[in-house]
Amino acid sequence: MKTDTPQPVYLKDYRPTDFVLETVALTFELGETETTVTSQLRFHRRPGAAADAPLHLDGDALTLVELAVDGEPVASERYQQSGPGLVISGLPAEAAFTLSVTTRINPTANTQLLGLYRTNGIYSTQCEAEGFRRITFFPDRPDVLAVYTVTIIGCKKTEPLLLSNGNLIEKKDLGDGRHMAVWNDPHPKPSYLFALVAGDLAVIEDHFVTASGRNVKLEIYVEHGKEGRAGYAMDSLKRSMRWDEERFGREYDLDIFMIVAVSDFNMGAMENKGLNVFNDRLILADPQTATDDDYERIEAVVAHEYFHNWTGNRITCRDWFQLSLKEGLTVYREHEFSADQRSRPVIRINEVRFLRSNQFPEDGGPLAHPVRPTQYLEIDNFYTTTVYEKGCEVSRMIATLIGRDGFRKGMDLYFERHDGGAVTIEDYLKCFEDATGRDLTQFSLWYHQAGTPVITATSQYDPSAKTLSLTLGQSIPPTPGQTDKKPMHIPIRTGLIGANGEEIEPVSVSGGERTGDVLHLTRASQTFVFEGIASKPAVSLNRDFSAPVRVSYDQPVAERALIARSETDPVARWDAANGLALQALCQMSRALQAEEAAEADETVARVLLAFAADETLEPDYRALALTLPSETDVARELGENVDPEAVHEARQILAAAIAKAGGTLFARLADEMRDTGAFSPDAASAGRRALRNIALSYQARISDDPEPLLAAYKQANSMTALIGALRILVSGFADTPAASEALADFRTRFAGEPLVLDKWFSAQAAIAGEEALERVKGLMRDAAFNSGNPNRVRALIGAFAASNPTGFNRADGLAYDFYADFLLDMDKRNPNLTARLMTSMRSFETLEPIRRARARSAIERIAEADGLSRNLRDIVNRMLKN
Ligand code: PHE
Ligand code: ZN
């Protein structure tokens, strides 16, 4: 290992600061390459702290200009720049004092996009998790809350807009071409929620009247000329505000709520108090430039960040180990919102698909960690799908255990008890226990044990006793640092389906607790006996995906098909169909890998097509049923010795079989689901477009004529239809004149629209096969590509690594080498993003031996390089551990 070996931070070492911060006053004199920050921090020593304990402040990449206590410069022997931070001693034992610190920073040189940075003429900040220390020396941790007053001085011409958190209390012209704005945020907050934005942007304005009748100003800031694309985000914001009042009784608490869309941003968006900062791709939308998925994401993320105002901001995390306290819970609130705005089953199915294809591989690989980790080297690397999505599932399970009303009661108590606090997962769980009397001790293991539980099921029907015995076992695979696991409390919603598709309600159930259709699995193995069952039923396990587990149940295909036909729970219905397809794909992949013939089982086609043809079902749901598990899903399910070529081939064969069997149906759907009237982004219209796109994609699978697709491309009247046709064209007919014509047309049509060209990059990055690498390298030379912009990098390089299994895993390993070179170079500029991209290789050990070895050597080459960032080093070291 190289040079600096950073020390892990441990949960068990948590202790409060020795000094209590009362207020913060910050002054920014903005300058492109030289910004001066003066901070005045009012502190007092915490009662009980040692009278001579020094004050520790965090800092990173700061130039210290001045340091004073109560106006007196601090003598050099009283402070030390220890590593990146600052330690000051000889501070008053009892009296409060004001520390003033002046630092100088360079926003233009800040390519990490953490702290204060300036791109495209806009100053903006990103402080979560530890970016504030790149602005000034500060106790940069979430349990230090204070009221902030922020003065911003900027040039009137280049920064007509000067924004920070809270309320604007003063604005004045300084007469020298500069002006000044003063903001005050009355709500004490941790530094990670601080934000500043300055520059020249356009605004769209609206307002919202809260349940108690207060008027809140709403402002969304975007690049000039993009005002027309902020309407959907504004509408989503208002619906979110209303929903949080109705569903959780939570009102907004300032007179103004602002969102700023910026084009250079590492993540999706950030919930800074009263001043959310968004990646512009999650704000800007109109029918010509955004797909239905974009609209849906915008609605969800606007809601997510807004909901943080209560879950995250008003009540925050005591330390970063508690991250899921705000993120998992807020994702849960966001999902519930989306389910109320759109189709609940469709939303749920998409969550399940996301969890399985992203979180399951994380939880089953070298980067697995508990929802609440106990140690970290770099907190940025813990903004993971485990913390977010598995954390969401844990809150969802609490709601399943105590019911919707119980959950609301627990949340009410949480807000009442902890408003203004920085708390822990234990504090959160205690509220549900106290509000409902349910003991969550065993349940809390979900926060502490990593790994996806495997539920094994066996069932036995006894016709003479008229009983069904269902034995459920649970085991959790070992994960890094955790070898033996305890049984957890797992709510498995279970239905029994009779031969005619009717639901069978047992007379009684013994063997464990059952509430409604929830079986409470609490032991390593448990047999539930259902009494009064007249004939052998099909068992439908984990309805609505009530627990984030894998189910291993050797169930006859006919029973699965019955569930797919007649379950009343639409999620279980979909899952039965999807499970059949997945099973078939796995078998076919193995056969192909062994150089045997692989034929598509016709049951799968029949089951999926029955969904597609059923007009009583919503189009969106039908489209989902037709969506085959991805190649990555199949790889995950195979779990070892994966040959991406075989998986690809298997999927091609099955899709072609479905296309053939559904020929007339697909032709009819492609026609019927065509958009006619004016565009509307609502879920029902989006569902029709989704169903049409998938019908077109099946049609293309058994056609050798790209012309109808080129026609569909030319006739498209929405971005969903346009990019849909383009994707099918380039994936099915790569390098044909028709595909090239459409690609060239798209490139010209959207020449000035980087966000739209991202779709163009991604579509090409995903084209299967060995040529992908050269194609990607070629696209990197396109004038629209910019390796400094996270969206471009994700759209091209990220998409290549994450969504092109055959291209990225080409057998000669050249794509791994390319990726390693790219990441090593990017690590020098943006470690946070680099480390995230690195994680796409986390499942490399499941590959067949030749690819596995080549992938490993590329990762090892990264690990051995000099000067790696802490972020990247942490990820590669964990990936190489075994
Ligand atoms: N807290 C942000 C969210 O709402 C995510 C984020 C984390 C953004 C870190 C930037 C940096 O999920
Ligand atoms: Zn969040």
Side-chain angles (χ1 to χ4, degrees):
M1 227 159 288
K2 302 273 157 163
T3 44
D4 76 308
T5 320
Q7 289 309 300
V9 181
Y10 295 99
L11 170 62
K12 63 173 168 41
D13 292 344
Y14 173 82
R15 59 179 202 97
T17 54
D18 288 327
F19 291 85
V20 177
L21 180 62
E22 299 171 4
T23 55
V24 177
L26 296 168
T27 302
F28 289 81
E29 287 172 74
L30 296 175
E32 289 175 28
T33 54
E34 211 176 88
T35 289
T36 305
V37 185
T38 305
S39 93
Q40 304 228 298
L41 309 176
R42 185 87 185 150
F43 282 110
H44 66 261
R45 201 172 288 267
R46 188 182 298 281
D52 60 351
L55 172 65
H56 289 264
L57 302 176
D58 302 297
D60 179 15
L62 298 172
T63 306
L64 179 61
V65 180
E66 248 175 62
L67 188 62
V69 171
D70 291 330
E72 291 295 311
V74 181
S76 60
E77 62 280 8
R78 274 181 52 205
Y79 72 90
Q80 234 188 334
Q81 268 191 275
S82 80
L86 193 60
V87 182
I88 308 165
S89 53
L91 292 165
E94 274 171 32
F97 59 93
T98 300
L99 178 74
S100 40
V101 189
T102 304
T103 51
R104 208 168 287 136
I105 51 183
N106 181 347
T108 298
N110 185 351
T111 55
Q112 290 190 32
L113 312 181
L114 199 59
L116 176 72
Y117 60 93
R118 185 174 190 273
T119 56
N120 297 320
I122 308 292
Y123 291 89
S124 93
T125 54
Q126 174 51 48
C127 294
E128 188 176 6
E130 298 181 334
F132 194 75
R133 64 187 62 183
R134 292 165 55 79
I135 293 174
T136 182
F137 290 101
F138 199 81
D140 190 14
R141 40 188 279 177
D143 62 343
V144 174
L145 283 78
V147 169
Y148 284 58
T149 305
V150 178
T151 303
I152 314 170
I153 298 167
C155 164
K156 272 165 53 184
K157 226 165 86 210
T158 50
E159 293 101 37
L161 200 68
L162 303 169
L163 307 178
S164 190
N165 319 79
N167 303 312
L168 180 67
I169 53 174
E170 194 190 334
K171 187 147 190 190
K172 77 171 181 225
D173 197 322
L174 297 180
D176 54 357
R178 299 186 307 163
H179 63 159
M180 172 186 109
V182 184
W183 293 80
N184 172 264
D185 178 2
H187 298 278
K189 65 165 175 292
S191 50
Y192 82 88
L193 292 173
F194 167 80
L196 176 156
V197 174
D200 188 3
L201 293 167
V203 65
I204 75 158
E205 295 174 300
D206 207 325
H207 72 107
F208 178 84
V209 181
T210 68
S212 69
R214 278 187 317 102
N215 193 50
V216 179
K217 243 167 85 175
L218 308 178
E219 299 181 339
I220 301 185
Y221 291 89
V222 297
E223 257 172 39
H224 286 287
K226 304 276 164 72
E227 296 89 325
R229 294 188 197 171
Y232 192 73
M234 183 64 90
D235 179 58
S236 304
L237 174 61
K238 289 189 284 182
R239 284 184 281 122
S240 311
M241 295 178 88
R242 190 62 75 216
W243 185 88
D244 213 15
E245 294 181 343
E246 288 168 357
R247 179 71 187 270
F248 284 103
R250 296 297 115 196
E251 256 190 43
Y252 186 60
D253 55 6
L254 285 166
D255 300 331
I256 180 167
F257 186 85
M258 298 172 281
I259 294 178
V260 180
V262 300
S263 49
D264 293 87
F265 199 74
N266 282 339
M267 308 279 277
M270 180 62 211
E271 71 264 24
N272 315 303
K273 182 79 186 188
L275 179 55
N276 288 184
V277 175
F278 271 63
N279 187 319
D280 57 358
R281 81 186 153 82
L282 291 165
I283 291 294
L284 302 174
D286 66 21
Q288 272 64 55
T289 56
T291 62
D292 292 317
D293 289 345
D294 293 331
Y295 278 98
E296 185 175 333
R297 271 316 282 155
I298 288 169
E299 177 182 279
V301 179
V302 166
H304 178 105
E305 305 311 330
Y306 174 72
F307 296 154
H308 267 314
N309 192 53
W310 278 96
T311 50
N313 301 5
R314 292 285 292 243
I315 304 179
T316 193
C317 302
R318 187 193 72 173
D319 52 69
W320 290 121
F321 297 101
Q322 321 297 328
L323 182 57
S324 192
L325 173 75
K326 76 175 176 82
E327 295 304 347
L329 173 57
T330 304
V331 172
Y332 177 57
R333 278 152 52 69
E334 166 207 324
H335 285 174
E336 282 296 288
F337 167 76
S338 296
D340 284 346
Q341 302 293 308
R342 294 169 176 256
S343 155
R344 182 167 283 270
V346 167
I347 293 291
R348 183 64 184 144
I349 291 167
N350 279 324
E351 288 158 20
V352 173
R353 292 175 61 210
F354 185 86
L355 192 86
R356 283 188 176 140
S357 53
N358 295 280
Q359 201 275 328
F360 279 19
E362 178 168 278
D363 228 355
L367 302 180
H369 57 272
V371 173
R372 188 176 72 188
T374 54
Q375 65 175 87
Y376 59 76
L377 272 166
E378 172 53 65
I379 188 59
D380 287 352
N381 289 342
F382 281 82
Y383 286 78
T384 61
T385 168
T386 296
V387 165
Y388 276 67
E389 277 77 25
K390 188 176 183 179
C392 158
E393 293 298 319
V394 177
S395 281
R396 175 182 300 277
M397 285 189 284
I398 296 175
T400 301
L401 294 181
I402 62 180
R404 186 182 162 119
D405 293 346
F407 193 82
R408 171 68 197 263
K409 278 196 201 125
M411 286 300 293
D412 285 347
L413 183 58
Y414 178 64
F415 294 127
E416 187 190 312
R417 210 179 253 181
H418 297 298
D419 189 12
V423 307
T424 62
I425 301 267
E426 282 76 13
D427 295 324
Y428 173 65
L429 287 174
K430 186 86 169 50
C431 292
F432 296 108
E433 293 189 318
D434 290 354
T436 65
R438 178 116 215 168
D439 180 351
L440 297 174
T441 314
Q442 187 189 10
F443 179 81
S444 70
L445 287 171
W446 277 102
Y447 283 103
H448 309 312
Q449 299 194 137
T452 306
V454 179
I455 306 296
T456 49
T458 52
S459 58
Q460 214 173 11
Y461 180 66
D462 180 341
S464 54
K466 304 223 174 309
T467 57
L468 177 87
S469 303
L470 176 67
T471 302
L472 298 179
Q474 58 167 303
S475 66
I476 311 175
T479 46
Q482 284 189 340
T483 42
D484 46 276
K485 320 251 175 166
K486 300 193 188 100
M488 303 203 289
H489 184 172
I490 306 182
I492 305 282
R493 291 186 53 201
T494 303
L496 302 183
I497 315 294
N500 299 319
E502 77 286 7
E503 173 142 15
I504 300 175
E505 181 53 32
V507 174
S508 65
V509 177
S510 59
E513 183 184 351
R514 179 177 186 255
T515 48
D517 63 356
V518 181
L519 299 179
H520 296 254
L521 177 60
T522 55
R523 299 196 292 274
S525 172
Q526 220 165 323
T527 300
F528 293 90
V529 181
F530 297 75
E531 311 268 349
I533 311 297
S535 62
K536 185 173 188 287
V539 183
S540 175
L541 284 170
N542 212 24
R543 284 177 150 178
D544 200 36
F545 202 67
S546 59
V549 297
R550 293 172 186 258
V551 175
S552 161
Y553 181 30
D554 192 8
Q555 190 167 33
V557 169
E559 285 192 12
R560 287 212 200 181
L562 173 69
I563 296 169
R565 231 177 13 249
S566 34
E567 242 288 17
T568 48
D569 171 43
V571 179
R573 237 188 118 174
W574 162 81
D575 204 17
N578 186 260
L580 277 174
L582 188 57
Q583 194 179 28
L585 287 168
C586 288
Q587 281 163 1
M588 293 163 73
S589 302
R590 285 288 180 233
L592 289 166
Q593 196 170 358
E595 292 181 21
E596 290 159 14
E599 254 183 78
D601 179 338
E602 55 169 31
T603 318
V604 176
R606 196 163 11 89
V607 168
L608 301 196
L609 290 169
F611 279 85
D614 186 343
E615 291 180 4
T616 66
L617 302 172
E618 316 166 80
D620 223 355
Y621 182 73
R622 292 153 74 191
L624 274 176
L626 284 173
T627 306
L628 289 181
S630 69
E631 290 169 29
T632 314
D633 290 330
V634 179
R636 177 199 73 238
E637 202 59 22
L638 292 171
E640 56 177 26
N641 191 24
V642 173
D643 173 0
E645 293 290 343
V647 172
H648 179 74
E649 184 62 22
R651 201 168 175 278
Q652 298 292 98
I653 296 172
L654 182 60
I658 296 169
K660 228 189 215 147
T664 42
L665 174 62
F666 291 133
R668 182 158 60 79
L669 290 176
D671 189 45
E672 276 175 11
M673 296 293 145
R674 196 186 301 271
D675 244 341
T676 42
F679 176 88
S680 160
D682 69 277
S685 312
R688 294 172 57 84
R689 287 185 284 268
L691 186 52
R692 175 160 194 268
N693 272 349
I694 198 151
L696 288 176
S697 78
Y698 276 109
Q699 285 189 302
R701 297 219 174 238
I702 49 169
S703 154
D704 45 24
D705 181 9
E707 288 305 320
L709 280 168
L710 186 59
Y713 173 85
K714 288 179 175 161
Q715 289 153 14
N717 56 359
S718 65
M719 179 49 79
T720 299
L722 190 75
I723 193 75
L726 184 71
R727 282 189 192 127
I728 305 166
L729 254 179
V730 301
S731 62
F733 302 93
D735 302 322
T736 60
S740 308
E741 182 186 334
L743 281 172
D745 172 78
F746 196 98
R747 179 69 182 80
T748 323
R749 210 189 296 184
F750 298 104
E753 302 279 2
L755 288 175
V756 183
L757 289 181
D758 284 347
K759 303 178 197 304
W760 183 81
F761 282 125
S762 296
Q764 296 177 81
I767 300 173
E770 220 170 59
E771 312 75 44
L773 177 59
E774 288 312 311
R775 195 175 285 121
V776 168
K777 286 185 184 167
L779 287 166
M780 285 174 76
R781 293 189 291 269
D782 190 289
F785 184 74
N786 165 6
S787 62
N789 176 283
N791 287 351
R792 295 311 84 75
V793 169
R794 281 180 199 274
L796 182 58
I797 317 291
F800 175 48
S803 61
N804 191 342
T806 51
F808 186 68
N809 298 295
R810 49 187 273 170
D812 59 14
L814 288 184
Y816 304 143
D817 296 339
F818 157 80
Y819 202 52
D821 291 337
F822 182 84
L823 294 183
L824 280 171
D825 179 50
M826 194 171 71
D827 192 44
K828 301 188 187 98
R829 300 185 305 271
N830 190 333
N832 188 310
L833 182 62
T834 307
R836 290 186 161 269
L837 289 181
M838 188 72 237
T839 65
S840 6
M841 288 186 75
R842 66 188 168 203
S843 299
F844 79 95
E845 286 189 295
T846 63
L847 291 163
E848 53 78 24
I850 295 175
R851 288 176 172 86
R852 192 197 314 156
R854 298 206 159 122
R856 174 174 285 275
S857 74
I859 302 168
E860 279 168 353
R861 183 157 64 82
I862 297 179
E864 283 155 15
D866 283 320
L868 282 199
S869 70
R870 201 149 56 121
N871 305 56
L872 184 56
R873 173 161 312 289
D874 172 36
I875 295 290
V876 290
N877 284 352
R878 280 193 276 151
M879 278 173 47
L880 292 172
K881 207 118 198 200
N882 29 8

